[in-house]
Amino acid sequence: MDLGLSGKRALVAAASRGLGAATARCLSLEGAQVAICARDKKRLAETADVISKESGNPVYPLVADLSRSAQITAMVVAAAETLGGLDILVTNAGGPPPGTFESTPLDAWAAATELTFLSAVRLVHAALPFLRQSESPAILTISSLSVKQPIANLVLSNAVRPAVVGLTKALAEELGPEGIRVNSILPGLTRTERVEALIEADMARNGTTYEEEMAVRVRNTPLRRMAEPEEFARVAAFLCSPAASYVHGAMVPVDGGAIKATL
Ligand code: NAD
């Protein structure tokens, strides 16, 4: 199946590594021109270089801190200028720190809201004028299975991410008549540097092996393993592509069956 991504112009936020980088790579391999952003200039440039060498298509690194409104606006405008327009926006950001309600300081709530929720609002706000000029515009937000099923010790994610899917649904309702498709992916446990670091921290704290920590994490996942970033990215690329032309307002789990709800 041809996804129809060749020549599409895509901006993937928070993409120097992890789910964002995997999505940028998949889009690029499918022939899209991609801009990626993150804060670390060197790491971002390395990622862009690696993807570009593999795909043979240009990948543009644009430094921006997604907790800063002005930097988001400037970065989106730079991406659209560099790419000659914008067909695809993938909103993403670093995850909020772990913790329970009791262990989470009050000021962490505002920071998590800025990075996890308001970054998506600001990215969409800045990108909309460009997406409106596209023939096949698509927005994809990256959230988490925590919007359907809270995850222990991640109170900030459990509480703030539902706002991202609320935004996604509202945008689908408002932008659908203009032909702008809006969807979200709810990833389950996926092998990224962030997840590996969290596992290593728990191994040190609990005196456990990698296998023991993994067994605890995948106990309630029917596929009994975590995902590779590419497994997430293939779904992301499809949802952003013209091949998904009637998929709209969907919250798509990529979670190995971990969400237990029937709907
Ligand atoms: P990651 O930490 O591996 O990568 C995060 C990316 O965001 C990096 O490129 C980092 O440079 C960038 N970033 C972080 N803060 C930023 C900022 N202020 N400005 C600009 N860029 C910034 O994380 P990941 O595992 O790829 O996860 C991506 C998102 O998906 C996170 O919000 C995470 O919580 C969520 N998520 C991940 C999983 C998983 O298992 N990996 C599961 C569910 C949800």
Side-chain angles (χ1 to χ4, degrees):
M1 177 170 62
D2 178 9
L3 296 183
L5 282 167
S6 183
K8 296 294 177 206
R9 301 152 300 179
L11 169 60
V12 185
S16 63
R17 63 183 202 202
L19 303 182
T23 301
R25 173 178 173 269
C26 210
L27 290 167
S28 185
L29 287 170
E30 289 295 322
Q33 298 178 60
V34 184
I36 58 175
C37 89
R39 289 167 301 182
D40 180 345
K41 188 176 179 181
K42 186 165 173 283
R43 180 77 196 260
L44 187 67
E46 283 168 6
T47 300
D49 197 41
V50 167
I51 297 174
S52 176
K53 284 203 171 103
E54 186 184 358
S55 70
N57 294 311
V59 178
Y60 303 99
L62 299 168
V63 174
D65 183 342
L66 290 162
S67 61
R68 302 293 182 87
S69 181
Q71 291 191 29
I72 292 174
T73 308
M75 181 273 296
V76 172
V77 170
E81 280 174 0
T82 307
L83 297 170
L86 214 50
D87 303 298
I88 294 164
L89 170 69
V90 180
T91 78
N92 182 34
T100 62
F101 185 78
E102 292 287 354
S103 70
T104 299
L106 263 186
D107 56 5
W109 287 89
T113 305
E114 286 279 339
L115 188 58
T116 300
F117 175 56
L118 289 179
S119 68
V121 172
R122 289 165 177 154
L123 282 162
V124 172
H125 192 267
L128 258 185
F130 303 106
L131 291 171
R132 284 196 161 109
Q133 291 168 35
S134 164
E135 284 175 7
S136 53
I139 297 170
L140 178 70
T141 62
I142 298 179
S143 55
S144 168
L145 68 73
S146 69
V147 304
K148 288 225 176 194
Q149 197 162 275
I151 302 172
N153 202 40
L154 279 180
V155 71
L156 289 171
S157 176
N158 296 335
V160 178
R161 283 192 200 280
V164 177
V165 299
L167 172 72
T168 307
K169 274 306 224 186
L171 288 171
E173 200 63 25
E174 292 184 25
L175 301 178
E178 294 181 57
I180 302 177
R181 290 188 308 106
V182 193
N183 293 292
S184 190
I185 296 190
L186 320 184
L189 191 66
T190 312
R191 192 188 308 277
T192 63
E193 281 182 34
R194 175 172 193 261
V195 166
E196 295 284 6
L198 289 171
I199 291 173
E200 276 165 29
D202 282 352
M203 285 162 61
R205 191 170 41 246
N206 302 330
T208 44
T209 63
Y210 186 88
E211 288 70 27
E212 285 165 339
E213 286 296 334
M214 190 52 66
V216 170
R217 283 168 172 76
V218 301
R219 197 169 42 205
N220 292 316
T221 300
L223 288 183
R224 295 288 190 274
R225 64 176 178 84
M226 71 175 164
E228 299 301 325
E230 295 70 30
E231 296 181 284
F232 168 91
R234 285 196 294 269
V235 181
F238 170 70
L239 288 174
C240 292
S241 77
S245 51
Y246 205 59
V247 185
H248 182 58
M251 307 296 127
V252 181
V254 182
D255 69 343
I259 295 171
K260 302 304 175 196
T262 51
L263 290 174

